[in-house]
Amino acid sequence: MSETGLDAVPRFSIIVPVFRVQGFLRACMDSVLAQEFTDFELIAVDDCSPDHSGAILDEYAARDDRVQVLHLPENAGLGPARNAGLEQVRGDYVLFLDSDDTLVPGALGALADRLAATGDPEILIFDYARTYWDGATRRNTLSGLLDESGAPAFSLAERPQLLDLLQIVWNKAYRRDFIEEHGFTFPPGYYEDAPWTFCTLITARRIAVLDRVALHYRQRRQGGNILRTTSRQHFDVFDQYARVFAHLDAHPELSRWRPDMFRKMVDHYLTVLDKPGRLPRNATAEFFHRAARDYRLRIPAGFVRPTGTAGGKYALLAKDAYPALAGLKAAGKLRRTVRKHAGKRVRQAKRKAMDLRYQALLRQPLDDNLAVYSAYWNRRPACNPLAVYEKAKELAPGIHGVWVVKKQLAEAGEIPAGIDHVVLNSPRYWEVMARAKYLVNNVNFADGVVKREGQIHLQTHHGTPLKSMGTDQKRYPAAAKGMSFRKLLARADRWDFSLSANQHTTEQWERVYPCDFEALNAGYPRNDVYYRATAQDVLDIRARLGIAPGRIAVLYAPTMRDYQVGYVPRLDLERISRELGEDFVLLVRTHYFYDQDPRLQALQERGALIDVSGHPVVEELCLAADALITDYSSIMFDYANLDRPIVTYADDWDTYVRSRGVTFDLLSGRPGDTPGTLATTEDELIEAFRSGRWDDERATELRAAFRARFCQWDDGHAAERVVRRVFLGQEAAPAPLPPAERTVAPSPRAAAAGSAPGRLPLAGTRLPAQRDGSPSDVATSDVTPSDVTPSDARPSAEPTDIGLAG
């Protein structure tokens, strides 16, 4: 609880109502629990949130006894959720914090100091700043009203201009006995802050201010804000002001505030009317007439209307003259349209002939039985989209799938037989993009693709994010390389579903892609094979790769470095192979952004390793390997499904973190963070294998915790869940199997012990090392659609998806 013991009264009780904020909730909670001032309790109210928010709160409560969690049995709304928290508070002062906002460092200490300096007023008003997805921070424009000069504490009558501040509950600290004395509670419905803030302010005898930003008010691009919803619930504003005037009626001593409350009421009504998109079109006139009725009912004697345009709108309300207001709004809209017209004509003039044809195709009906697939910037069919494609053929056979591929791959015959495909930017490409009901990709489609109403876009991603992705990359110029984050988010705005394999990923996607998609917590379809492959499958793959029976195959798969150009070996692979000895064989897979490396080919010629960089299916390499060596590649999360040893070789961790940023500390050694044995030098890596640490009890324990965290929904049925939810409109069934009931493919050792040997390779068999940009380059799990993609790794016509995940 507080520093003074469980029975002591904390200085602050902080109420955090929680609903569908899993992507932002940890930042909110951390901002409170990291405060240097620790004398507080945090009461988090799970308003029956349908996402993982409640479980996140329970995690925090389990490790910090200052956190108390209330789980409401049904969704009650923001006001009732706050009331539930108020029933539990014990602190001297009550603070309210919305669960997507954060306290700034030092906020609680500054509040405590100011309260002490001002003699514990009933209300302390502090400042805030708006924060935006692009990193911008803008302080409250009326911060000058919080000038601390003059009397330390005062009545509202001495500084009535404070009513002009944004009247929200979370920029104030309220003395608990003041709340209890007057029985203040929150009403249900929209705009619940209005009656609370106005009634508390006009009732308080002593108010103080703090001229300091103590809270960051997150401005969500989409969702999370009732002001951006079109709904009849905006009519709740009438009930909220009825409560304000009922409070005035019950307290005649407060009658001097009637003109001010009337002005705030009318301004609020006009704001709802003026803001586009709040009211349904067929409800605007009804709202106006209700507002006009309240105007006439509550206008104080002698009230003087404001001047200018605002005063004109007051006059229209007084006369209930809705047609005149509608005409005024139409004139304003016309002026805005004229200003935009010139720019629109310029854009129209730049359309090409193909664009005009595409525009015509966009007017044709959608084909409900057509799905378009793409992977890795239109390379060959692979990854999650391919697994979804195969399952859709089984469960939704009436839906025809077409793949988008690059011209050179189609001309070279690189597309597997039986797969219908179109060449990027060909006439048929534009036709299927315009008419397909379903769009499936593990990166983003090009900027020119229009997301039509009725189309369903599934973003499968292609990795679990260790590295920073999406909007987080703004802080890392080496990773962003000048990308346009606005364009990235415009592409992400097209997503209807965002696929995830674990809760960590779901939270990251919702935070770094602030768009209005549905998280599809189904697992990664490409990992289904790890739960379906047989012992014979494992042996056959090893035979095709040329792995001699009895040898321990170690797959080395490093990721790219944003701060380097081209492939830079981080290990002396010839030495590693020599030091490990004849019992081991190295399978080396470089990142697909890099071209063919002649040094690897030379080492393969000498028998020092097997270069599998050009192998088309990375899942086969994982099935064949007894162990994995990697650094920061997301292949570790997929390989963890197999429950085989993972060795992390991180010789440049500090540099990597500074240049790219990470979502958790891979090298912490904590269960759930670190997948197994760590090595930061070549000698440590060799010693790990010589000593047996690569597969000892400690490594096994770490691997189990890592699997539990990151293989959360992978069980062999991910593709089925995706197809049922996206293509069939059903629940994402079946539910993931409990970990104890999942059966993973046998290890090579177990496969050899329990099955007949597979086909042995011919003498001198060698795998080709294709690095020519063909589709076989892309079967790796290291980058998702937000990763930095070097300009020389894709044609200029393709979008730069620096912000997608991998």
Side-chain angles (χ1 to χ4, degrees):
M1 214 59 195
S2 71
E3 289 182 321
T4 53
L6 291 174
D7 296 328
V9 174
R11 187 57 165 163
F12 296 112
S13 292
I14 305 170
I15 297 175
V16 182
V18 176
F19 183 76
R20 294 187 67 175
V21 286
Q22 61 183 357
F24 305 100
L25 183 53
R26 294 184 190 276
C28 173
M29 298 291 287
D30 290 343
S31 76
V32 178
L33 299 177
Q35 294 283 316
E36 293 183 1
F37 184 92
T38 60
D39 189 13
F40 64 84
E41 63 178 0
L42 193 162
I43 301 171
V45 184
D46 170 22
D47 191 15
C48 201
S49 184
D51 62 5
H52 200 68
S53 295
I56 293 173
L57 295 177
D58 289 339
E59 289 178 29
Y60 279 88
R63 61 176 183 256
D64 195 316
D65 62 6
R66 294 173 298 178
V67 178
Q68 176 184 350
V69 180
L70 304 179
H71 294 283
L72 301 187
E74 59 185 23
N75 179 245
L78 185 56
R82 287 171 175 162
N83 291 338
L86 281 172
E87 293 176 2
Q88 305 297 320
V89 297
R90 302 184 311 114
D92 295 328
Y93 279 85
V94 178
L95 294 169
F96 298 93
L97 178 64
D98 285 356
S99 48
D100 55 354
D101 296 337
T102 54
L103 295 182
V104 302
L108 293 184
L111 292 176
D113 291 344
R114 186 61 179 166
L115 288 170
T118 55
D120 285 359
E122 289 146 315
I123 299 176
L124 173 65
I125 306 173
F126 52 87
D127 206 7
Y128 63 91
R130 288 178 167 85
T131 60
Y132 299 81
W133 67 265
D134 61 0
T137 300
R138 298 186 180 93
R139 188 173 181 178
N140 166 30
T141 56
L142 297 179
S143 59
L145 297 179
L146 299 177
D147 182 8
E148 296 178 13
S149 62
F154 46 84
S155 68
L156 184 63
E158 296 173 74
R159 294 177 68 169
Q161 62 271 28
L162 290 173
L163 287 173
D164 291 330
L165 290 169
L166 180 64
Q167 292 307 318
I168 27 73
V169 67
W170 40 252
N171 69 338
K172 304 172 184 72
Y174 301 89
R175 210 171 65 206
R176 178 169 58 92
D177 60 4
F178 168 67
I179 295 174
E180 293 172 348
E181 175 188 354
H182 296 279
F184 291 123
T185 59
F186 289 90
Y190 282 15
Y191 307 109
E192 76 293 328
D193 279 8
W196 173 283
T197 53
F198 288 132
C199 293
T200 54
L201 282 173
I202 65 178
T203 303
R205 292 179 291 272
R206 298 178 68 250
I207 298 172
V209 295
L210 173 63
D211 186 11
R212 169 174 170 154
V213 171
L215 181 144
H216 280 164
Y217 175 26
R218 187 185 301 274
Q219 305 298 290
R220 304 270 286 273
R221 286 185 71 248
Q222 296 182 9
N225 192 330
I226 65 169
L227 302 184
R228 296 194 180 108
T229 60
T230 301
S231 170
R232 283 189 61 88
Q233 283 192 268
H234 291 285
F235 279 74
D236 290 350
V237 73
F238 298 117
D239 293 333
Q240 307 302 16
Y241 281 95
R243 294 181 173 98
V244 172
F245 282 91
H247 185 73
L248 288 171
D249 292 340
H251 297 276
E253 71 277 11
L254 301 177
S255 61
R256 63 152 294 168
W257 296 110
R258 282 186 181 274
D260 297 275
M261 294 301 97
F262 179 79
R263 176 173 57 86
K264 302 305 292 187
M265 178 193 78
V266 176
D267 287 347
H268 204 158
Y269 290 175
L270 289 173
T271 297
V272 175
L273 283 165
D274 286 343
K275 294 295 183 181
R278 291 198 190 182
L279 295 170
R281 289 185 179 180
N282 61 1
T284 304
E286 179 186 354
F287 187 96
F288 183 90
H289 296 313
R290 283 280 305 273
R293 186 191 67 181
D294 280 5
Y295 188 102
R296 296 191 301 272
L297 177 67
R298 297 186 179 131
I299 184 169
F303 180 78
V304 178
R305 291 196 298 262
T307 58
T309 302
K313 292 180 179 180
Y314 271 57
L316 295 177
L317 269 183
K319 298 175 183 177
D320 198 6
Y322 176 70
L325 180 68
L328 188 64
K329 293 177 67 175
K333 182 178 180 181
L334 178 61
R335 286 193 296 270
R336 292 190 296 270
T337 301
V338 169
R339 285 196 297 267
K340 294 179 180 179
H341 188 63
K344 183 178 180 180
R345 287 194 346 197
V346 170
R347 291 192 298 271
Q348 289 174 337
K350 292 181 178 179
R351 288 178 179 170
K352 299 178 182 178
M354 183 62 75
D355 294 327
L356 294 175
R357 182 173 185 275
Y358 182 44
Q359 295 296 323
L361 289 168
L362 290 172
R363 292 191 289 271
Q364 296 185 13
L366 288 176
D367 186 341
D368 290 341
N369 295 312
L370 179 62
V372 174
Y373 297 84
S374 181
Y376 297 109
W377 298 279
N378 308 305
R379 292 178 170 92
R380 68 174 292 158
C383 190
N384 290 318
L386 180 59
V388 172
Y389 166 81
E390 296 291 351
K391 184 58 66 172
K393 288 196 301 182
E394 173 190 336
L395 298 180
I399 297 176
H400 180 66
V402 178
W403 283 83
V404 179
V405 298
K406 293 188 289 189
K407 183 178 181 180
Q408 58 266 40
L409 301 181
E411 291 177 344
E414 295 284 352
I415 310 306
I419 291 184
D420 190 8
H421 60 275
V422 296
V423 171
L424 179 68
N425 290 327
S426 67
R428 190 181 175 218
Y429 162 80
W430 290 108
E431 180 178 358
V432 297
M433 294 305 300
R435 300 201 57 198
K437 173 78 170 183
Y438 306 97
L439 305 175
V440 183
N441 207 332
N442 70 353
V443 291
N444 272 316
F445 289 102
D447 290 353
V449 171
V450 175
K451 167 72 181 303
R452 294 180 62 182
E453 184 177 356
Q455 283 185 319
I456 298 174
H457 189 315
L458 168 64
Q459 171 56 257
T460 72
H461 302 280
H462 54 282
T464 289
L466 166 63
K467 64 187 71 174
S468 63
M469 298 292 169
T471 55
D472 276 359
Q473 290 178 262
K474 287 182 66 67
R475 302 194 299 269
Y476 303 98
K481 289 184 171 66
M483 78 167 295
S484 168
F485 287 92
R486 292 189 181 276
K487 288 183 178 180
L488 170 68
L489 292 181
R491 293 189 285 270
D493 282 336
R494 300 183 298 203
W495 306 348
D496 293 289
F497 296 97
S498 173
L499 186 59
S500 177
N502 49 68
Q503 182 60 30
H504 168 81
T505 299
T506 298
E507 293 177 27
Q508 291 297 317
W509 291 169
E510 292 193 7
R511 185 177 58 80
V512 303
Y513 302 116
C515 305
D516 193 20
F517 52 75
E518 175 184 325
L520 183 50
N521 299 329
Y524 276 158
R526 69 182 182 197
N527 292 339
D528 285 353
V529 66
Y530 298 139
Y531 296 90
R532 299 183 179 277
T534 66
Q536 192 62 47
D537 292 330
V538 172
L539 295 175
D540 287 348
I541 294 168
R542 285 170 65 90
R544 292 198 301 272
L545 293 173
I547 302 171
R551 298 191 78 183
I552 300 172
V554 178
L555 175 61
Y556 173 51
T559 189
M560 61 168 291
R561 296 323 195 253
D562 297 295
Y563 64 88
Q564 293 177 336
V565 178
Y567 173 58
V568 178
R570 309 208 67 82
L571 286 172
D572 182 342
L573 295 173
E574 186 171 23
R575 180 195 176 205
I576 296 295
S577 178
R578 182 176 65 251
E579 294 289 349
L580 293 185
E582 291 299 318
D583 291 340
F584 290 82
V585 59
L586 277 179
L587 312 178
V588 179
R589 185 176 186 80
T590 58
H591 193 277
Y592 67 84
F593 282 172
Y594 301 132
D595 292 328
Q596 179 176 333
D597 186 65
R599 290 164 294 185
L600 287 180
Q601 295 182 59
L603 290 173
Q604 181 171 261
E605 294 283 353
R606 297 201 295 271
L609 51 79
I610 301 176
D611 182 6
V612 293
S613 298
H615 192 76
V617 185
V618 73
E619 290 79 22
E620 289 188 352
L621 303 179
C622 291
L623 284 166
D626 296 88
L628 171 71
I629 300 174
T630 188
D631 39 28
Y632 323 120
S633 170
S634 68
I635 194 174
M636 74 180 84
F637 302 101
D638 300 324
Y639 190 81
N641 283 282
L642 291 167
D643 195 19
R644 302 178 192 175
I646 300 173
V647 178
T648 301
Y649 177 63
D651 64 321
D652 63 339
W653 173 250
D654 290 341
T655 302
Y656 188 84
V657 170
R658 288 195 301 270
S659 66
R660 182 57 192 252
V662 294
T663 61
F664 65 94
D665 187 355
L666 180 69
L667 272 59
S668 73
R670 293 188 297 266
D673 283 356
T674 304
T677 303
L678 293 172
T680 57
T681 68
E682 200 168 277
D683 289 341
E684 287 180 359
L685 180 63
I686 293 170
E687 185 276 334
F689 280 93
R690 284 184 168 178
S691 66
R693 286 195 303 111
W694 67 286
D695 193 19
D696 62 9
E697 183 177 352
R698 172 62 174 164
T700 301
E701 292 173 352
L702 287 172
R703 185 168 71 250
F706 194 81
R707 290 181 70 217
R709 181 180 180 188
F710 293 110
C711 303
Q712 190 173 356
W713 300 313
D714 282 329
D715 64 351
H717 299 282
E720 179 178 355
R721 286 189 281 272
V722 171
V723 171
R724 292 193 182 280
R725 180 70 187 93
V726 175
F727 291 88
L728 301 179
Q730 303 171 356
E731 293 295 321
L737 290 169
E741 297 179 19
R742 302 176 192 178
T743 302
V744 73
S747 67
R749 188 176 306 175
S755 304
R759 297 184 298 275
L760 296 179
L762 299 174
T765 296
R766 194 177 75 216
L767 288 177
Q770 303 177 44
R771 310 304 285 172
D772 58 356
S774 72
S776 60
D777 292 355
V778 302
T780 183
S781 60
D782 182 54
V783 191
T784 62
S786 59
D787 253 320
V788 179
T789 307
S791 59
D792 61 356
R794 58 181 187 280
S796 59
E798 298 178 10
T800 304
D801 263 331
I802 302 177
L804 289 179

